[in-house]
Structures are given as C-alpha cells and as structure tokens.
Amino acid sequence: MKSIIQLLETIGGARPLRLRSPRAWVAFGIWWVVLFALAYATIGRGTKFIYVDF
Amino acid sequence: MIFNEISYFALFLLPSVAAFHLCAPRFRAWVLSLFGASFFIYFGYLHFGGFWGACCVLLFVWEMLTSRLYRPGSRWCLFGIVQAVAILFAFKYLSFAVGAWNDAGTLLHLPPLRGIGRLLLPLGISFFTFEFIHFAADTYQGKIQRVPLRDYAAFILFFPSMVAGPIKRFQDFGPKLQAARFDSRLAVQGVTRILAGLVKKHVLADTFALFAANLNGPHLDSGTPLQIAGWILSYGMQIYFDFSAYSDIAIGSGYLFGIVIPENFDWPYLSRNITEFWRRWHISLSSWIRDYVYIPLGGSRLGERRTAVNLILAFAISGIWHGAAYNFAVWGLWHGLLLVGHRVWRTRFPRAAAAMPDAVAIACTFLLVNLGWAFFCMDMGRALYALSRIVRWA
Amino acid sequence: MRKLIVPVVTAVAALVAGDRLLAWYGHRHFVPEQQLQTALAAGDGCLLILGDSRMAAGLDEATLHDALSRQGADRCIANLAIGATDVSGAFLAARRYLSGGRNPAVAVLGKVDDSLLDPDPDRTGPRMMVGNNALHLVWTTPGDVFAEVNGFPFASVAAFDDGFRFLIARATGLGRYQSLVSVRVQHMQDRLTGADRGSQNRFGQFADMAALERDLRERAAGRLTAATKDPGDRTAWFDRLVDVLRSRGARIVVVELPMPAAYRRRISESAAAVEYRRSFTASLAARGAAYVDLGRASWVDDALFADALHLNAAGAARFSRDLGDELSRAAR
C-alpha cells in the first residue's frame, strides 16, 4: 500500500522525481501529454450539445 | 473554475513565473504583488461581482496600509483582527445572520430585521481574511517581527493560493520568497502537479459529481437507500478530488516560482480516526482553526469538559466558514462531536482503541466522515430525509 | 536544466503531433465542413440554402427540384442550412462557400420571426462555440475577433477575456475541435452509465427541442419589441451576410419558415412580430432582396411537424414545393 501511495505521489508531482536516463525523462514528457489528454478530453463534459452531429 | 481557464496559464502563471525569475531579486515580491492584484481584478470582474467585485482589491490595499501599524503587543493588531472578521462577516454572513435572527425571532419574540440580499462575494474572501487574521495575531504575539511592505503584499496577493488556499503562514512563506530561485526539478514537479490536479478535477471529481448530483436533483425520493448511500459516498469522493485538485494546482504553480507551499491533503480517507482525519484533510484550515480558535479558547488545558466545548465550538466555526447556512454549522458540529467522541474513546478505552485493526478503523472513519457530507452537500431538510432513508433502510 | 528541457520538448512535440492529428480528423468529421464540401461539389450558379435546422428540416431537395423544373428554373442546390447556428453562422457559412470559388445565383435564407437579428450577448463568445457552432472557430480568421466578440479588446474585462480565448482556441486544432472530443466522451459516458438519452430524431432529443422552442419563444418577444423600436439595431450580422452575397452578384430571397400553432399564436401573430415583418420586408425591398412568407401558408398544420421546431417529411415536401414555385415566379 505504501509503495502504491508513493508511486501515485511521484507520478502526481507530490514527490521529487529520481529519473536518471534521458529515456526516463522522455517517458515523463509522454506522461505529461497523457495527463493533458485526459483533462482535455473531459473538460467539456458538462457542455450541453443540442445538435449532436459529430 | 479559474484554474482550468487558458487565461490563468497564458496571462498570469507563465508570464509571472518568467518575470519573477528574470527580474532582480529585490523586485520579485513586487512582481508577485502586481500579478496578484491583476489576477484579483481580472477574475474578480469575470466571476465574482463584476466591477464592484474587482474593486474589492482595495481591501488588500487597505490591509497593507493597516499592517504598517502592527507591532508586538499593539492594539492595532487587535484592530486588524476585528477588521478582517468584520469584512468576512459583512460580505459572507450578514444576510445569513439577519435570516437566522428572524428565524430565532419567531420563537423568541425578537423584533424582526429587514431581510437583505447577499452582497457580492469577493474572490477568495474566506482565505485572504484568514491570512490577514493570522498575520495580525502572530505579530501581536511577537511571532512575526517587522516585515517589509513588499513581502507582506506578495504574501497576501500570491495568486495561486488566492482562489482556494492553502491558507499560508507568513513565517513559512516569507523566507521561501526570499530564497526562491528557479529549480528545474521543482519545475518538473510543478508541471506534473498542475496536470495531475486538472485530471483529478475533470476526470475524477466531475465523474463522481454525476452521481452526487442526484442528491440535489428531483429524484432523491425515488432512489433506494443503497443508491442514496452511494450518492453520498460519491459526493465524498467528489469533494476530495475537487478540493485537493485546487490545492495541487496551487502548489504546483508555487513550485514554478521555486516556492514550496505546504501540503493541504495527505490521503485523508486513509485516516484511522477522526483526529487523524483532521490532520490530513484541508490541513491549512484545520491548523488555522487550532491556532486561532481552539487554542485561544483554551484548547485542552482547562479540563475535559471545557476541551469538549472548545472542540465543538471550533468545528462549528469551521463549518460556518465553509458556508453561510445551517447545514454547514450542523456539519461542523458533527465533526466536533466526533472529535469529542474520539477523545473519550481513546482515553476511556485505550486498549480497544489500540487493538482495532487498521482496516476496520479506516472504514469506520471513512463512513463517519461521509455521513457528515450529507449535511455539507444538501440543505437540512434533504440531508435529514436522505439519512433517515438510509437509517430506516426503506 | 536538461531535466526540464527533455520532458518539455517531448511534451510539446507530442502535443503538436496530436494537434495536427486532431485537425486532420476533425476536418473530416465536422458536420458543417462535410456539408460545405457537398455544397461546393454541387457546382456553380446554384441555389444556396442558408439557415438553421428548421431550414434544413424544411428542405426536400427532390421536391424542390421538381417544382423548379416545372417552371424551367431548375438549378443545383447547395445546402448550407446548418443546425444550431444563427445568422452569424449563416454569414460564416456563406463566406466560406464563396471563398471556395462558387458564385450562387440565388441565396435562400430561412428565417423565423427574430432569427435574423444579432444573437443575444449570452449566446455569443467562446463558451458557445461548441458542436456545430465550432464553425466560429474553424471558419474564421483572427481579424474576425472584433465581430465575434463585442467590445474586444478593451471595452470590458469580459470582452478581453472572450476575445483572447477565441484567438487561442481558433489557433490550433486542439482548440477548434475540442467539442468534438467532448461529445464523444459524453457518448461513452452515457453508454457506460446507461443514461437514458430519451427519444430523439435526427436533430436531437425531443425534450431538447421543446426546451429550445421555449427558450426561443421567451426571447423572441423582447427581441422583436426592441427591433421595432430601433429597426437598424442588431442587424450587423445580417448586413454582413447581405453584403458578402451581393458582392458576388447573388439574388437574395428571405423565406419565412412555418412553426407550430402554439408558437405562431404567441409570437408570429403578435403585434411586435407583425410590425417587425413589415419594416423588415421594406428594408429588404430597399436592398433589392425578396421576401417569401411561407410561415402563414394555408397548409401549415401541427401534423406536419416532427417536434416542437422542425417540419416532418410531409411538411418538408409541402414547404419545398411552395418554395420552388415562389423561386420560379421570382426568377421570371
């Protein structure tokens, strides 16, 4: 449980990162895009679409 | 919600971070103050009262001027505390107080007062008045010595925490402001924290909100007891993810400046008891209530009975701080009673308290806290109805 | 510092790629864009149809062709009646069509009472540019910010904020097509939660149509009264539409669309509506445009409506036949 909490805190930005290789830093950049995409996809959920034409 | 608007990032956060790190250290506090005042005017105008809401930035100016008079032991500090309470009361509680007087008046034959509509609610008033009170009180007690105006201005106008906390302490913020410098590791953490906060808000909180919305919808009475209980639990998750998301974005924004704002949530639903819950939930508020309400009332130094009264009173005030309505007071009282109950439990039954398995303790605490959320999210009538349906299981 | 640069560069590169992908996908799945491509493919010298979903519902192309052919006035039909849009959307659609190199012979603009007046302020701004109204982001240029946002940049903080957000949103695929992603997520969410979406037709849920009709009705009375007091006010978008069509030599015909009896009684037959129609037709005549009133045709009956706003197939056939006859008459 403690390790899960620590992992969530790390990927959530509440704990400092200890990434060493450039690949790890690239992966973290991808993680940012994943977070952004999740927020982006759900940010308009409350919007009422009267004409659902998509 | 200000933190999900492009204007927050494009017009305020990113330009202010750039200006903060590019300018000479002696101007940094003024950069923060300028952006903070602009932030307040901009979003105050848009979301909190239009032109007059934006004009409330003068409250900060007035506070900055008043703070120049504060000295250890000075009556001006007491004036500052009363002034901040009066500002909070006038904007947030006056209408409720008149209504409560009139409600009491029908029972106690008091002369009725003319009802007044609520004044506009300035952006972040519940938070910045508490920071005003903290500064005045700690200066009075000698915990804060003479502070440059620019540092105090930066403290009260620090915009990431202006909207929804955390409630800062000057003794923590001031030195960090002085020592702030760009730290790439902290910046990476900050960006991650902000993005994680947005996900918490839009993916998690808004999903739970879909279910919790039934509590205030037209179909509450057609829900089964299990559904009603589920909706209340959903609200508990919604409010956690929503509020902690604001704190994440505020803290992450602070990291970009190189300023580490203290944490506000520490996995509160994993608490083993209610006392621990309040050390993990809205930490900045509970510590403020402890330092500026509970301890001045006597804390736990005046016997068990007085301690119980102080706890209940402190949490009633905490409840009212959240909203000017009876149900918030009841929510606060509920937590006050739980805290008193926990004190009795661990002092009278220490072995049983220690022997309780963690999983059971966590589950019990979780359920007790969530019962209280019924009063937080619904008015008294609906809350009592919902809880009675669950208790009767009918 | 390298620790910050690597993830930032990675994230920016991925976001740019995602933006291009969404712009490519959105372009193909954005219904107004699909309608535009079909309209452009119809050819040159067409009958350009403009308006909202009420016009779209009333259009039976086969019947319209028949009616025009009978009078020897048949021509291609470019249907740009886009659901949920107002007169500002009609202008953008017309301008976009014309920029595609097409010159319509006749532009037929569907109207119901006050619908050609400028939209109310709470119906404008970036928050409303979702769904089909994302055409305000897709079919605009940066310079359109002054028309899209009243008072931009410095009339008020709200005007500045709206204009700023408009400029940011329209600049990227992520901004332009955000609502396309949102609606897909909402559909997924509805399927997962088993949400009952209610009965619906091709325009949407019946409950939504009823709510929309109520909203239109509640606003119309005030808007028509204001328009009769100051006829030249709140016609900025309509004026732009007329100008852009006239610049290409198109004849303009405004057609009054039928509505159900309850709406007609309360709004279309009110004193303000009658007075507004009188002044509107006079101003049209002064600009060399024609007005065809099919709103009070003898055949209009509630049985010919699919919901609170739109004609059904039988209603569309009647309407299109009469429209074809009127257009042929006007062509002679």
Side-chain angles (χ1 to χ4, degrees):
Chain A
M1 185 68 169
K2 203 171 171 187
S3 53
I4 295 172
I5 287 173
Q6 284 178 354
L7 174 66
L8 288 171
E9 287 177 348
T10 306
I11 63 173
R15 273 179 187 265
L17 292 158
R18 278 192 198 84
L19 304 178
R20 287 186 175 78
S21 68
R23 213 180 288 179
W25 288 106
V26 168
F28 211 76
I30 301 290
W31 174 238
W32 281 357
V33 176
V34 168
L35 288 175
F36 175 82
L38 285 170
Y40 172 83
T42 51
I43 205 162
R45 260 193 301 176
T47 310
K48 182 69 181 173
F49 294 96
I50 300 284
Y51 293 96
V52 182
D53 281 348
F54 288 117
Chain B
M1 189 208 177
I2 290 167
F3 284 152
N4 65 355
E5 296 182 27
I6 191 76
S7 315
Y8 171 73
F9 296 97
L11 296 177
F12 293 97
L13 183 62
L14 295 175
S16 60
V17 165
F20 184 83
H21 291 297
L22 290 173
C23 75
R26 67 181 184 279
F27 294 126
R28 283 181 176 168
W30 290 122
V31 164
L32 277 183
S33 306
L34 188 65
F35 273 94
S38 307
F39 175 92
F40 186 93
I41 292 168
Y42 193 91
F43 288 107
Y45 188 102
L46 284 181
H47 302 306
F48 291 89
F51 173 77
W52 293 111
C55 285
C56 288
V57 74
L58 296 172
L59 292 170
F60 290 88
V61 175
W62 177 253
E63 169 64 17
M64 280 188 263
L65 294 172
T66 320
S67 72
R68 298 298 88 202
L69 302 167
Y70 294 170
R71 300 282 184 280
S74 162
R75 276 188 206 151
W76 284 112
C77 296
L78 301 176
F79 170 76
I81 293 168
V82 169
Q83 170 178 267
V85 171
I87 289 169
L88 182 61
F89 182 83
F91 281 106
K92 194 170 174 181
Y93 299 106
L94 189 55
S95 172
F96 168 66
V98 167
W101 173 277
N102 289 336
D103 289 342
T106 55
L107 291 168
L108 303 172
H109 305 292
L110 301 168
L113 296 172
R114 202 176 70 168
I116 55 169
R118 201 166 71 171
L119 295 176
L120 64 93
L121 212 55
L123 164 62
I125 187 168
S126 301
F127 295 92
F128 67 70
T129 49
F130 270 28
E131 289 184 350
F132 294 176
I133 292 168
H134 137 71
F135 187 80
D138 281 14
T139 304
Y140 181 80
Q141 291 175 347
K143 294 179 187 173
I144 299 174
Q145 299 302 322
R146 193 117 173 87
V147 155
L149 176 65
R150 63 171 184 264
D151 288 359
Y152 186 55
F155 171 71
I156 57 175
L157 286 167
F158 186 65
F159 67 86
S161 61
M162 197 183 269
V163 180
I167 302 168
K168 308 183 302 296
R169 302 294 182 98
F170 187 84
Q171 298 92 315
D172 177 71
F173 183 84
K176 286 176 180 171
L177 174 65
Q178 297 297 329
R181 57 174 179 75
F182 185 75
D183 179 338
S184 57
R185 266 189 196 276
L186 207 55
V188 167
Q189 238 185 290
V191 172
T192 313
R193 197 85 189 248
I194 290 169
L195 290 170
L198 289 170
V199 169
K200 260 193 197 173
K201 161 66 185 162
H202 291 293
V203 179
L204 298 174
D206 287 355
T207 299
F208 283 109
L210 294 172
F211 300 100
N214 289 295
L215 292 170
N216 284 303
H219 303 300
L220 177 63
D221 51 356
S222 59
T224 64
L226 188 62
Q227 279 177 317
I228 294 173
W231 294 338
I232 294 174
L233 289 173
S234 295
Y235 183 80
M237 299 309 286
Q238 176 198 341
I239 194 172
Y240 166 65
F241 285 119
D242 201 284
F243 205 166
S244 63
Y246 290 134
S247 294
D248 284 338
I249 297 170
I251 293 167
S253 301
Y255 286 175
L256 296 180
F257 290 100
I259 298 172
V260 178
I261 305 171
E263 294 294 331
N264 217 12
F265 291 87
D266 183 16
W267 301 93
Y269 286 145
L270 297 180
S271 305
R272 285 173 295 259
N273 53 65
I274 196 71
T275 305
E276 187 180 340
F277 175 81
W278 280 104
R279 282 199 289 265
R280 291 168 173 254
W281 177 278
H282 203 172
I283 299 166
S284 64
L285 173 70
S286 54
S287 57
W288 192 100
I289 294 286
R290 178 198 64 210
D291 293 341
Y292 302 107
V293 179
Y294 179 66
I295 289 175
L297 284 174
S300 57
R301 289 168 291 143
L302 302 171
E304 279 304 313
R305 234 174 243 176
R306 182 60 189 269
T307 302
V309 169
N310 292 342
L311 273 172
I312 291 169
L313 208 54
F315 274 83
I317 290 172
S318 169
I320 285 284
W321 178 87
H322 285 85
Y326 296 125
N327 55 302
F328 291 106
V330 168
W331 172 82
L333 283 169
W334 169 248
H335 278 271
L337 287 168
L338 286 179
L339 284 161
V340 169
H342 178 242
R343 280 183 79 88
V344 169
W345 165 252
R346 72 166 191 243
T347 49
R348 297 262 173 94
F349 307 98
R351 279 206 199 128
M356 185 180 278
D358 281 352
V360 173
I362 290 171
C364 287
T365 309
F366 180 76
L367 287 170
L368 287 170
V369 166
N370 275 275
L371 272 175
W373 289 131
F375 293 102
F376 200 87
C377 67
M378 294 181 275
D379 61 37
M380 285 299 298
R382 289 183 85 99
L384 289 170
Y385 171 76
L387 291 173
S388 72
R389 290 283 309 277
I390 294 171
V391 165
R392 285 183 293 125
W393 205 253
Chain C
M1 197 60 182
R2 197 161 41 106
K3 293 176 177 61
L4 178 63
I5 290 174
V6 169
V8 167
V9 167
T10 309
V12 169
L15 279 174
V16 168
D19 178 79
R20 295 290 89 218
L21 190 65
L22 185 59
W24 173 84
Y25 178 82
H27 185 77
R28 278 156 183 70
H29 291 264
F30 186 45
V31 165
E33 187 66 44
Q34 291 171 341
Q35 267 188 266
L36 174 74
Q37 296 306 320
T38 307
L40 289 171
D44 210 6
C46 291
L47 209 60
L48 174 63
I49 309 294
L50 295 166
D52 59 24
S53 61
R54 292 172 290 191
M55 185 69 195
L59 189 66
D60 178 338
E61 287 192 29
T63 306
L64 184 55
H65 275 303
D66 281 343
L68 291 167
S69 307
R70 273 203 304 275
Q71 313 279 352
D74 195 17
R75 53 178 77 251
C76 53
I77 295 171
N79 181 7
L80 271 183
I82 301 171
T85 59
D86 54 34
V87 62
S88 60
F91 164 75
L92 292 174
R95 189 178 72 175
R96 184 68 185 84
Y97 176 78
L98 296 173
S99 72
R102 295 294 185 226
N103 297 294
V106 182
V108 180
L109 181 53
K111 163 188 178 296
V112 174
D113 294 314
D114 62 307
S115 67
L116 292 184
L117 292 170
D118 291 344
D120 290 337
D122 66 334
R123 285 283 187 259
T124 62
R127 273 176 204 87
M128 303 304 296
M129 295 173 185
V130 296
N132 283 356
N133 282 299
L135 59 79
H136 287 270
L137 299 172
V138 179
W139 288 347
T140 49
T141 64
D144 286 328
V145 68
F146 300 102
E148 291 283 352
V149 180
N150 216 9
F152 181 81
F154 298 127
S156 69
V157 173
F160 176 81
D161 190 66
D162 275 355
F164 178 74
R165 289 168 55 226
F166 168 80
L167 290 168
I168 297 280
R170 66 158 306 288
T172 62
L174 288 171
R176 289 194 298 271
Y177 297 109
Q178 200 281 328
S179 59
L180 180 155
V181 176
S182 279
V183 79
R184 294 248 192 281
V185 170
Q186 259 184 247
H187 282 164
M188 268 192 318
Q189 177 184 288
D190 289 343
R191 274 198 294 273
L192 284 170
T193 58
D196 178 17
R197 302 196 66 236
S199 49
Q200 56 186 335
N201 59 19
R202 66 179 167 123
F203 296 109
Q205 296 177 43
F206 289 115
D208 287 340
M209 297 307 125
L212 204 48
E213 188 270 347
R214 224 171 12 251
D215 182 67
L216 290 169
R217 194 172 9 99
E218 282 162 10
R219 289 172 184 266
R223 284 161 59 83
L224 288 166
T225 305
T228 52
K229 284 193 181 121
D230 192 350
D233 193 28
R234 305 190 68 176
T235 61
W237 285 106
F238 181 65
D239 292 341
R240 287 188 194 106
L241 176 58
V242 167
D243 290 344
V244 80
L245 289 168
R246 295 291 296 273
S247 71
R248 293 294 195 93
R251 267 186 33 246
I252 299 169
V253 176
V254 176
V255 58
E256 194 78 39
L257 297 165
M259 285 287 281
Y263 184 94
R264 274 202 321 274
R265 266 197 310 275
R266 282 155 147 161
I267 302 298
S268 309
E269 289 160 17
S270 67
V274 167
E275 173 56 27
Y276 173 72
R277 254 194 317 277
R278 192 198 58 74
S279 64
F280 179 74
T281 51
S283 75
L284 276 184
R287 298 166 96 158
Y291 177 75
V292 173
D293 189 350
L294 295 177
R296 271 154 296 284
S298 56
W299 53 262
V300 175
D301 185 272
D302 281 4
L304 295 173
F305 287 88
D307 56 45
L309 295 168
H310 305 103
L311 289 166
N312 58 22
R318 285 304 305 263
F319 173 80
S320 298
R321 195 187 74 189
D322 277 11
L323 178 63
D325 290 343
E326 292 289 339
L327 290 174
S328 307
R329 205 171 297 138
R332 285 194 225 108

